[in-house]
Structure formats: C-alpha cells, structure tokens
Amino acid sequence: MKITHALASPGKTGFFFDDQKAIKAGAVADGESYRGAPLTPGFSAVRQAGESVSVQLILEDGQVACGDCAAVQYSGTGGRDPLFLAREFIPFMERHVFPLLVGREITSFRAMADALENYTIDGKRLHTAIRYGMSQVILDAVAKSRKQMMCEVIAEEYGTDLRAAPIPIFTQTGDTRYNNADKMILKGAQVLPHALINNVKTKLGERGELLLDYIVWLRKRILSLRTSEDYNPVLHIDVYGTIGIIYGEDYEGMAGYLETLANAAKPFALRIEGPMDAGGRTEQMLALSRLTALVDARNIPVELVADEWCNTLEDIQYFADNRAGRMVQIKTPDLGGIGNVVEAVLYCKQRGIGAYQGGTCNETDRSAQVCVHLAMATRPDQILAKPGMGVDEGYMIVFNEMQRIIALLSHR
C-alpha cells in the first residue's frame, strides 16, 4: 500500500512553552503568565502558548494515518533542540520531509522510521519534534496497512509480548499542587504528584522546608481521602535541580535531606526526579551516579530519577550503564523518533534500571495515545498522563486508550 498525500496543520498543545532559565533566575509568576524577560534564544516571552504540527498521511485505500509533532515544555535548554513553532516548521516539512514519504510503498515501521531518523540536511538531523511526530504517523500508517493496532506492530517488530494488563500511570499537578493532588487521589492514580518544584524560594524552600511540608501534607491527604488501604501510590516529585542549588556539592547533606523526605513520606514510596542540574551531560551523570551510590550505601528508601541532560537514546544508555539514578525518564519528544523510545525502555529493563516512559505536559492528545501503544508493547514501570497540567484530561486520555487496548487484546 502506498502513501498518496501528506497534510500538515498547526495545532495547540496541552500546555505552554516555558523558559526554564528565566524561571530559575527568578521570573515572577503573574496568574498563568510570568513577568520578566526571556533568557533562552527563540522565546518571545517567559511563557508562551505551546504549538504542535499535526500530520496526516492519506493512504491509497482512503485510510488516514495521524501523528503530532510536539516538543517539551522546557525547550531550548538542558541540551534540547530549540523552540518548535508551527509557522516556521510547516513550510520546512512540506519542502523537505513530505517528499520522502509521498508516493512511497509502506514497508515496516522500523525501516521507514529509521530512514527518517537518520535523514540529514546540511549534516544535521531533523528537529526532534519532527522526528517524533513523523514516526508516530508512520507507525499508524503501517498499523492501518496491516489492520493491526499500533502496539501490535511494535510487539511484532521488536519481539516483545503483549499483555492485557495495565501499566501504572503517573499524574502531574503543575503549580496547583494541592487541589490537583486531590483529583489524583480521588481517581486512584498509581503515581503522583510531580509537583513542579522548580524554584528554591517559592517551592523548595531555602532549607528545603517547603517541600518537606508539602510531603507531610500529601501523606496525610492520601490517608484521609483513600477509600481502601490497598491504595498506596508512589510519591514521585520532580525538583528540577533545586536540591543541588541549596546543597551545592555537599552530597552527604543532600542524602540527609532525601532521607528526611523519605521518612516523611512513609508508608508511601518516594521518588525524587532531577535532584541536581550539574550543567552538562557528563557532569550530570557523575553527580547523579555519586548521589545514587551514597543513597544506596545508606539504605535511604528513595529512588532517584534521571531527567536533565538525559535526553537522547544514547544519553539514556549512558546514564543507565553508569547507574546514574535508579530510574530514568524517557522523555518521549526529546528522543526524536518513537523507535528510540521503544529501544530506551527495552535497554533500561535489560540493565535493571527503572524505565519511566514520560514526555511533557506540552504534548497533544494524539501523541499521548501513540505513546500508550508504545508502553503496552514494552511494559515500562510507569507512563506519564499527558498532555496538560489539569490532571483530569491527561489521565483520561492515557487511561482510556490503555483500557481500549486491553479490551481488544482480551477479545482477540
């Protein structure tokens, strides 16, 4: 079966592009906006509307395959590609990318996605957002040509087993970390709340006291709202390097603080994502590896999660090989083609490292649905509810797609 046409349209994402450098430097929140000047190249404001590009491939039998190009909330920082704006990239894709597919025969997902992943212009690969969205639409096209679900294509081509069983879903509160935590508890989210601890003064506390108070509150809130003692969610909190800001290179101090947090979270397990940001890939790996070893040596019941400077498949393999964290976030848009997401999950599992198939609040409903199919074929330890920060919408999209797959697998 051939691809006859390719269409691109501008889209909205489930959240915003935020200038992380400006926020860390003290940009002041003003309602849903921020006051202050942007610091990251490409940004016109500290916060601006998230954008995507929706791609549709029309197949010769009339079926339409869909995928969305999208980039992370904190674009242009931490080693990531620059801001992805529809008005700039749609003409580029129509000129350089669509001719690679239109008129071509649909073969396998891996062959078609790898060709796009390795395609270069002037020695540079395509923007991660383009590779991300185009690989989604290729997977959908292959699935439609075979009359299969997307997860069945992945399982078949990568040699994995499909099971009609759910995967824990991780929900994120955004800055509404109290009311949104209630939503998560009421809905029975298995991993929560993310909490967006990205500022020392207003969220972590100069001595870490604000985060400690929040964990104490969250523990009590779960115990008071849960309807069954069997509901024991994992507490997973992203601190965006802020612990490292207050402790510097005092690893013993960081470990002691993490132990205080873990004790406050009991009886719930605690994960801390991105405890420090060392400013570079190697520096971050070494710092996180050192802290992980110290936490393990002291038997502190907290799992450290790698995020910053761990963006590509090669980064994830590098961090996993060096035990930099007990879990790695596989931030799906950062990896480019979704075949890399599959490879990353499988590699982490092989190395005995927790695989968190994440992403960003700044994705779309379509990219989130495709990611569920990847997860069902590879079985990561958890998958992010996305897009958005409102809890209800992202959790609904991921949960419902997962349940549809489970129902079809059970039926077949």
Side-chain angles (χ1 to χ4, degrees):
M1 187 179 295
K2 291 184 178 180
I3 298 165
T4 61
H5 297 85
L7 306 174
S9 54
K12 298 294 186 183
T13 63
F15 203 62
F16 299 95
F17 289 125
D18 284 345
D19 183 346
Q20 188 183 57
K21 287 185 179 178
I23 292 170
K24 282 188 174 181
V28 178
D30 181 11
E32 287 296 324
S33 186
Y34 283 93
R35 295 197 304 272
L39 298 179
T40 300
F43 278 80
S44 58
V46 176
R47 167 168 285 180
Q48 56 194 80
E51 299 182 21
S52 64
V53 173
S54 293
V55 179
Q56 299 177 86
L57 298 181
I58 302 175
L59 313 187
E60 61 180 338
D61 66 353
Q63 294 187 91
V64 180
C66 303
D68 281 353
C69 304
V72 297
Q73 173 190 9
Y74 297 117
S75 290
T77 190
R80 300 185 178 102
D81 276 355
L83 207 59
F84 183 74
L85 302 176
R87 68 179 180 275
E88 295 179 5
F89 282 97
I90 286 179
F92 175 90
M93 293 170 65
E94 291 173 339
R95 185 166 63 252
H96 294 289
V97 181
F98 290 173
L100 302 175
L101 295 173
V102 174
R104 303 298 174 89
E105 193 76 28
I106 296 172
T107 56
S108 71
F109 165 73
R110 295 186 77 169
M112 295 179 72
D114 284 350
L116 190 76
E117 183 72 10
N118 295 316
Y119 179 69
T120 61
I121 298 175
D122 297 329
K124 295 182 179 180
R125 290 200 297 179
L126 300 170
H127 192 290
T128 50
I130 295 176
R131 289 183 275 136
Y132 187 48
M134 292 305 301
S135 58
Q136 293 169 36
V137 74
I138 287 170
L139 176 59
D140 194 23
V142 171
K144 283 183 164 59
S145 72
R146 297 181 185 175
K147 294 181 170 55
Q148 292 180 314
M149 291 189 290
M150 289 181 283
C151 59
E152 292 174 311
V153 172
I154 294 297
E156 186 177 286
E157 294 197 17
Y158 287 85
T160 64
D161 296 321
L162 281 171
R163 289 194 284 123
I167 296 163
I169 299 174
F170 174 32
T171 47
Q172 52 186 347
T173 61
D175 280 327
T176 314
R177 61 187 56 81
Y178 290 91
N179 287 345
N180 276 349
D182 280 1
K183 292 181 181 182
M184 297 168 178
I185 298 164
L186 293 172
K187 290 176 183 288
Q190 299 95 333
V191 188
L192 55 89
H194 186 272
L196 197 67
I197 307 298
N198 60 2
N199 183 280
V200 170
K201 184 176 180 181
T202 62
K203 298 176 182 179
L204 183 77
E206 300 289 353
R207 300 176 305 281
E209 73 279 2
L210 297 181
L211 177 56
L212 176 59
D213 289 346
Y214 177 70
I215 289 176
V216 169
W217 173 86
L218 183 61
R219 171 191 174 276
K220 292 178 180 177
R221 197 64 175 164
I222 295 168
L223 293 174
S224 66
L225 289 183
R226 69 180 183 180
T227 57
S228 168
E229 292 186 1
D230 293 332
Y231 178 58
N232 292 291
V234 174
L235 308 189
H236 182 141
I237 295 173
D238 192 347
V239 298
Y240 292 88
T242 53
I243 293 176
I245 291 174
I246 62 174
Y247 282 96
E249 295 187 5
D250 179 6
Y251 289 87
E252 289 287 348
M254 276 193 275
Y257 177 62
L258 291 169
E259 186 169 24
T260 299
L261 297 181
N263 288 334
K266 290 179 180 178
F268 306 112
L270 179 66
R271 292 182 185 134
I272 295 293
E273 182 174 346
M276 80 289 286
D277 184 343
R281 178 179 185 260
T282 300
E283 295 85 351
Q284 182 72 357
M285 182 281 293
L286 291 171
L288 192 55
S289 179
R290 180 177 174 182
L291 183 59
T292 301
L294 181 57
V295 165
D296 289 349
R298 291 177 51 171
N299 293 315
I300 298 170
V302 62
E303 286 186 304
L304 299 180
V305 183
D307 180 12
E308 301 300 332
W309 299 101
C310 186
N311 302 322
T312 66
L313 173 59
E314 293 76 17
D315 293 341
I316 289 165
Q317 292 169 336
Y318 178 58
F319 275 65
D321 287 345
N322 288 282
R323 317 299 288 182
R326 282 298 178 189
M327 173 177 278
V328 175
Q329 179 180 180
I330 300 159
K331 188 166 281 189
T332 53
D334 281 339
L335 273 73
I338 58 175
N340 292 326
V341 175
V342 174
E343 296 280 6
V345 172
L346 297 179
Y347 191 86
C348 286
K349 293 176 69 172
Q350 179 188 22
R351 299 292 293 169
I353 297 292
Y356 157 30
Q357 188 187 294
T360 174
C361 53
N362 197 47
E363 293 190 53
T364 72
D365 55 338
R366 183 56 182 166
S367 66
Q369 289 170 340
V370 175
C371 283
V372 175
H373 283 264
L374 305 181
M376 291 299 288
T378 58
R379 311 297 303 182
D381 295 277
Q382 65 187 41
I383 179 175
L384 181 66
K386 57 187 183 182
M389 290 287 199
V391 179
D392 303 294
E393 300 84 357
Y395 187 75
M396 171 191 67
I397 289 167
V398 170
F399 180 89
N400 289 358
E401 187 71 7
M402 192 179 295
Q403 294 301 317
R404 292 184 195 107
I405 294 168
I406 290 170
L408 280 170
L409 289 175
S410 299
H411 172 72
R412 291 178 181 176

